[in-house]
């Protein structure tokens, strides 16, 4: 299991140390939640802060856009060379065009599905994607309760992925901890995002290790 701590739950007063701690603690990706106050009822960080994160990060950035205008935000974050940019299918009229744009920029494209969204609807996009992110909370805030129907959804998505593009990863984001990690692994999940579980722990390295099942 790959582990992507979400810096949404980090202490922004000491962000440098918080980034260094997860990188040294064995994380695989750094999950950066970008919210515009429109697509979700919260706002987070923009490219100015993420630029300083990128400067000290020794692991690749995984930028999760929760915004209405994906084009605009991709243009803001692309210069920081994230490994992945994920965008919500519910916010985009032309998902295939956005995927092509990310590819042309050399960024791995990922699509995010909210808890109500059926993975069948993206069957014909899967072959163009590097990752599909299944939300296991309603996007907008850290520290929410895990919505367990994501486990069944991951199994269904895994079947589509095996049929269309076995290299495509499944990521799950929201309420992930050491109690639900094994069922996510068994369902075929490849990457988990964990915010409050990692940053709420006394020892970040131990928390990250406990998710590497
Ligand atoms: C929610 C964000 C998540 C969040 C996860 O909108 O996309 O990445 O930070 O936090 P936890 O792990 O606390 O649910
Ligand atoms: Zn996220």
């Amino acid at each position: 299991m790959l582990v992507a701590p979400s810096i949404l739950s980090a202490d922004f007063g000491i962000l440098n140390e918080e980034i260094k701690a997860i990188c040294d603690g064995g994380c695989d990706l750094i999950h950066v939640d970008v919210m515009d106050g429109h697509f979700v009822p919260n706002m987070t960080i923009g490219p100015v802060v993420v630029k300083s994160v990128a400067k000290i990060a020794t692991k690749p950035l995984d930028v999760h856009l929760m915004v209405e205008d994906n084009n605009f935000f991709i243009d803001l974050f692309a210069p920081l060379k994230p490994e992945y940019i994920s965008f919500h299918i519910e916010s985009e009229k032309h998902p295939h065009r956005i995927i092509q744009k990310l590819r042309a920029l050399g960024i791995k494209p990922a699509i995010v599905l909210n808890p109500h969204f059926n993975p069948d609807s993206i069957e014909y996009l899967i072959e163009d994607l590097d990752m599909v992110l299944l939300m296991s909370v309603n996007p907008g805030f850290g520290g929410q309760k895990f919505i367990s129907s994501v486990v069944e959804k991951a199994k269904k998505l895994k079947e589509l992925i095996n049929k269309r593009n076995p290299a495509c990863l499944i990521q799950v984001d929201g309420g992930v901890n050491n109690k639900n990690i094994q069922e996510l692994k068994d369902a075929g999940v490849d990457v988990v995002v964990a915010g409050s579980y990692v940053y709420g722990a006394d020892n970040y390295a131990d928390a990250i290790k406990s998710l590497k099942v």
Side-chain angles (χ1 to χ4, degrees):
M1 183 70 78
L2 300 175
V3 179
S6 164
I7 61 169
L8 189 57
S9 293
D11 181 344
F12 278 73
I14 49 163
L15 193 53
N16 274 17
E17 289 161 45
E18 295 280 74
I19 300 299
K20 198 174 171 306
I22 55 166
C23 290
D24 294 349
C27 77
D28 299 286
L29 294 166
I30 300 171
H31 188 79
V32 179
D33 288 303
V34 177
M35 307 182 188
D36 67 351
H38 295 279
F39 181 65
V40 289
N42 196 5
M43 290 174 77
T44 53
I45 50 177
V48 176
V49 174
V50 180
K51 193 172 175 185
S52 61
V53 171
K55 229 186 261 172
I56 52 160
T58 55
K59 300 292 168 66
L61 300 186
D62 169 34
V63 173
H64 174 191
L65 297 180
M66 284 159 274
V67 303
E68 281 184 357
D69 191 341
N70 292 300
N71 242 317
F72 173 77
F73 280 87
I74 288 168
D75 289 342
L76 285 185
F77 286 97
L80 304 178
K81 303 269 173 242
E83 173 120 343
Y84 294 94
I85 289 187
S86 55
F87 65 96
H88 278 255
I89 187 98
E90 304 90 355
S91 76
E92 186 51 56
K93 284 198 193 94
H94 300 290
H96 194 265
R97 185 175 292 153
I98 293 289
I99 291 168
Q100 286 175 316
K101 175 176 173 138
L102 288 169
R103 277 266 177 252
L105 289 164
I107 298 165
K108 292 178 179 168
I111 275 188
V112 194
L113 309 184
N114 269 337
H116 71 281
F117 208 92
N118 191 331
D120 282 345
S121 343
I122 60 157
E123 178 167 2
Y124 298 102
L125 287 174
I126 285 174
E127 54 205 54
D128 300 303
L129 291 170
D130 280 67
M131 187 161 75
V132 177
L133 166 49
L134 301 178
M135 291 305 300
S136 41
V137 296
N138 287 298
F141 304 92
Q144 302 182 80
K145 191 174 174 289
F146 182 73
I147 298 173
S148 57
S149 59
V150 76
V151 174
E152 189 190 315
K153 201 195 283 191
K155 289 181 189 159
K156 188 174 179 183
L157 175 62
K158 189 73 182 175
E159 282 174 24
L160 288 178
I161 281 179
N162 285 341
K163 193 161 77 174
R164 297 278 171 200
N165 177 11
C168 180
L169 301 180
I170 301 179
Q171 184 178 43
V172 166
D173 182 4
V176 172
N177 56 38
N178 60 342
K179 306 266 183 325
N180 49 34
I181 193 69
Q182 190 58 51
E183 58 179 333
L184 292 170
K185 174 76 179 182
D186 295 344
V189 174
D190 305 286
V191 191
V192 286
V193 175
S196 50
Y197 178 70
V198 169
Y199 278 110
D202 291 336
N203 184 314
Y204 301 167
D206 286 349
I208 291 168
K209 206 168 157 198
S210 72
L211 299 178
K212 289 192 163 268
V213 292

